[in-house]
Amino acid sequence: MLLCTTWKARPLSPEQTNRMMDTWGKIEADTAGRPGLERLCWYLYADGSGGLTVSEATDEAVASAFGLETALALGEFIEIDTRVVYDLDSAM
């Protein structure tokens, strides 16, 4: 299952930015060692307003847990939207 997560930056103070980066680093370390989840790409918008990732999850439980944990940890700092997506061949 492919997951496309987009995020939009919220206005943050320098202290909030530091806390967000610390939190994000912990999520990244956890994600790298999590079986059943792999990030395929990560892009940032050129204007710095947000970005997107595409990840592959082996099943719904892994995808749901990852989405919930990420939203709870980073929701204070960024607006997050995750959706299941298909590659063109699968969609057709």
Side-chain angles (χ1 to χ4, degrees), residues 15-67:
E15 186 272 330
Q16 288 174 308
T17 300
N18 288 336
R19 283 193 304 120
M20 179 188 70
M21 296 307 293
D22 288 342
T23 302
W24 208 318
K26 292 174 186 172
I27 291 171
E28 288 303 308
D30 179 56
T31 301
R34 185 181 295 222
L37 185 68
E38 177 186 2
R39 180 178 308 106
L40 302 178
C41 65
W42 182 339
Y43 296 99
L44 300 175
Y45 302 147
D47 65 2
S49 66
L52 67 94
T53 63
V54 176
S55 302
E56 186 169 23
T58 56
D59 61 48
E60 289 182 33
V62 170
S64 294
F66 173 70

